[in-house]
Every structure is written in C-alpha cells, then in structure tokens.
Amino acid sequence: MTKILKLLAGVALALAPAMLLTAPAQASTTWASVSAGDSHTCAVTTAGKLYCWGSNDEGQLGLGNTVNRHSPTRVGASSSWRTVSAGVNHTCATHDNGGIYCWGYNSFGQLGTGDNTSYKVPTRVGTSASWKRVSAGADHTCATHDNGGIYCWGRNEVGQLGTGDTAGHKVPTRVGTSSSWTSVGAGSYFTCATHSNGGIYCWGRNFYGQLGNGDLNMRTVPTRAGSSSSWKAVSVGDDHACATHDNGGIYCWGYNSFGQLGTGDKVNRDKPTRVGASSSWEIVSVAGLHTCATHSNGGIYCWGYNADGELGTGNTTTSEVPVRAGSSSSWTSVDLGYNHTCATHSSGGIYCWGYNFDGQLGTGDTSRRYSPAKIVS
C-alpha cells in the first residue's frame, strides 16, 4: 500500500526465458494461497508456481496478451514465487530472489516501473532483493521491506501513498521514517498497516470513516485507527476495513450501506466496531461491499452485499451479520474480490463463489456460483 531504484530493463529473472509460456494447472496441483482481485484471481502452488485467471483486458494475468481465462493458467515457468496480490487491473508478486514483479494497467505508475507503460508479463520493481510482502490496490501498490519500512507507489490524489503529499509516485517511495511496520494493505483509495507497537495506522480517503480515526478527514500520512495496541492483522477494501484482535474478535469500520461491517445495521462507523461476540476469529478479508472471515471451527462466515452470491450462502440475500458460507469445516484462508470470493481448503484445493462474468471463479465457465465451487485443475 524515499525512492528506490528504477526498473531493471527487461525481466532478468531466471523465469524470463519462458515468461510468455502458459499451461493449465495440473490435476495434482496443491494450492498454498489465493488472491482475488476486482475481476481476476491469482494463486501460488506449494511448488512455487503462479497461476492467474479471469479478466485480462489490461494484461493483469501476466500471460503476454489480453485474452480472458476461465481456468487457472500458468504465469511463466518460474517455480520460485512466494506470494501474489491481485488488484483491480494490475497484479504484483514476490519472488524467492527477494524481488517484487508487477504487471497489468499502469497509467498511474502502480507497477512501480518508473513509467506509465502497461506490461503484460511480470516486470521487476527496482533492484531491491529485500522485499517481504506486497499489496496491490486499485491504482496504487504498497509493500513491506526487510528494513521494516513500507513503500508505496502509484496514484495519490487523496494521500493513499502516505508520503505526505498528493503527488503520484512511479517508483517505490517510503512511508514516513518508521522501521517497525509489520504488514500493509492497499485498498481503493486508502491504505492501512500494522505496526510492531500493536497499532493500526491508515491514510488516504476518509469519506466514510474508513481510516478509523474518529473523523472524516483525508490523511496523507499514517494516522492511528482506534486506540488499541493489540491488533493482529488488517484487511482493506474499497471504503471499509476490518481487523483481527488479540482477543479473538473482529472489528470493522467505514462504509456500511450493505451491512459489510457486520454490526447488524447499515450505519457507517468511523472507529473500529466489534463484529458480534465471538472470540474465535482467525483471518478476515474485505473487498467492495462484503466481508468474510475464517473461524476456529474451520468454517468461513461472510456478511454484506450478496446480489451475485459472493457470501457463499446458496442464495442472494444480503446479510448485516456473519452467515456461514457452505458447510465445510476445513477452510484454511479466504480472500475477496470486488464481488467474488475465493478460499483455500485443507485438502489443498481452492474454491470460489460469486460473480463470474470474466471467469474469475476459475471454474472453466462464466456462470455465477452461490456456494463454494472448486476451481478447475
């Protein structure tokens, strides 16, 4: 979500020679993680291979073209990918060589390549080999570094880069001076991060209180959300955010017109507000107008907008409180796109549900799913 060196020309990575080659996922594929973007999805296997599917109008699938895919399609030939983050029209991933690679839409410099050229294959961001994790938002990107800093790049008219200004940056630019950040999440026009002091800090647009600091004023630098020093992780969407707490609870804040805060109503919140009474939540993920979380009982629960089945409840009924997605008790993670949801299962599979016009569910077709459906292998 200080400028670091510009783009290395070309993709000098060991994966470069076969960057344009693609292949369908094999039947034996075991998935390690999944990231759902606006209308596309990407995932990394336990073998370090990267696959993407769904909308590809800006080359966000990294396949060297703009052809949509309805099933997982391999990105290049490298088996050394670590993590991937799918944004709106661009994607970024971390590699075992310590680098970050981005591809897709780049009109605002969100690929971090020092220019506004859109790239259809993974293209290295600067020369640093010390990146930890990356988060792709709408038109900006942020990443954590081994030096403890956060760096952001891309669009910045409402301060979503946290650089103290509203000027766009085409290369990674440091957020403040702290060397104690632990994670970062880039949303549509705002960003939040966790700090080693246990706090959450947010910056950028704040129309609906999505910065969680008690007012509706835009911030161009990190501003503390709430007063707790016991946060675990934070997830950022279009106009709301949610976080897990050491007490096992989930707290949400920001826009709530469809019940996406899980508070049982449709009232916006400008400070973290607890979701129900459970103390057994594990992972939370937010997107456009809905939220999902994994529970210690192995289930996934979702709430908010549901016109396309993104809550996974088998219907299209919007819910202002958590409702169970499917019946499995073996989910290991969940990640949300704008109006679709994907999750990893203890069996090693990935299941997706919701809107599927561009094939973002990876089911081999473009039909909506109202309950978890296994992706094609």
Side-chain angles (χ1 to χ4, degrees), residues 103-157:
W103 56 96
Y105 190 58
N106 195 32
S107 287
F108 300 98
Q110 58 263 53
L111 300 190
T113 53
D115 55 37
N116 292 112
T117 302
S118 294
Y119 294 90
K120 297 179 178 65
V121 296
T123 304
R124 190 157 185 167
V125 178
T127 59
S128 177
S130 300
W131 296 108
K132 297 176 70 175
R133 292 188 71 91
V134 64
S135 179
D139 296 315
H140 76 293
T141 306
C142 294
T144 51
H145 195 271
D146 279 346
N147 64 16
I150 286 175
Y151 296 77
C152 295
W153 55 95
R155 194 171 187 173
N156 193 35
E157 77 271 34

Side-chain angles (χ1 to χ4, degrees), residues 37-42 52-56 61 67-73 339-340 342 352-369 374-376:
D38 188 71
S39 299
H40 75 293
T41 308
C42 294
C52 292
W53 58 94
S55 177
N56 195 30
L61 300 189
V67 180
N68 290 358
R69 296 297 197 281
H70 300 160
S71 59
T73 305
N339 48 12
H340 77 291
C342 292
C352 297
W353 55 95
Y355 194 61
N356 195 30
F357 181 82
D358 296 299
Q360 56 263 55
L361 300 190
T363 50
D365 55 39
T366 56
S367 300
R368 288 180 178 84
R369 298 297 196 282
K374 192 169 185 177
I375 66 170
V376 173

Side-chain angles (χ1 to χ4, degrees), residues 93-252:
T94 56
H95 194 270
D96 279 347
N97 64 11
I100 287 175
Y101 295 77
C102 295
W103 56 96
Y105 190 58
N106 195 32
S107 287
F108 300 98
Q110 58 263 53
L111 300 190
T113 53
D115 55 37
N116 292 112
T117 302
S118 294
Y119 294 90
K120 297 179 178 65
V121 296
T123 304
R124 190 157 185 167
V125 178
T127 59
S128 177
S130 300
W131 296 108
K132 297 176 70 175
R133 292 188 71 91
V134 64
S135 179
D139 296 315
H140 76 293
T141 306
C142 294
T144 51
H145 195 271
D146 279 346
N147 64 16
I150 286 175
Y151 296 77
C152 295
W153 55 95
R155 194 171 187 173
N156 193 35
E157 77 271 34
V158 289
Q160 59 263 52
L161 299 189
T163 50
D165 55 37
T166 55
H169 296 272
K170 299 178 183 179
V171 295
T173 304
R174 190 156 186 168
V175 177
T177 58
S178 178
S179 297
S180 300
W181 298 108
T182 53
S183 74
V184 64
S188 285
Y189 293 94
F190 76 112
T191 307
C192 292
T194 55
H195 195 271
S196 63
N197 65 12
I200 287 175
Y201 295 78
C202 299
W203 54 93
R205 187 168 72 177
N206 197 27
F207 288 167
Y208 306 102
Q210 59 262 53
L211 300 190
N213 60 356
D215 62 42
L216 305 181
N217 299 320
M218 179 184 84
R219 296 295 197 284
T220 62
V221 296
T223 304
R224 192 152 188 166
S227 58
S228 177
S229 297
S230 300
W231 298 109
K232 295 174 67 176
V234 63
S235 180
V236 182
D238 273 22
D239 292 305
H240 77 291
C242 295
T244 51
H245 194 272
D246 280 346
N247 63 15
I250 286 175
Y251 295 75
C252 297

Side-chain angles (χ1 to χ4, degrees), residues 55-98:
S55 177
N56 195 30
D57 54 334
E58 299 292 343
Q60 59 264 48
L61 300 189
L63 308 176
N65 55 50
T66 56
V67 180
N68 290 358
R69 296 297 197 281
H70 300 160
S71 59
T73 305
R74 189 168 177 184
V75 180
S78 177
S79 295
S80 299
W81 295 106
R82 291 179 180 174
T83 64
V84 65
S85 179
V88 172
N89 292 314
H90 77 292
T91 307
C92 294
T94 56
H95 194 270
D96 279 347
N97 64 11

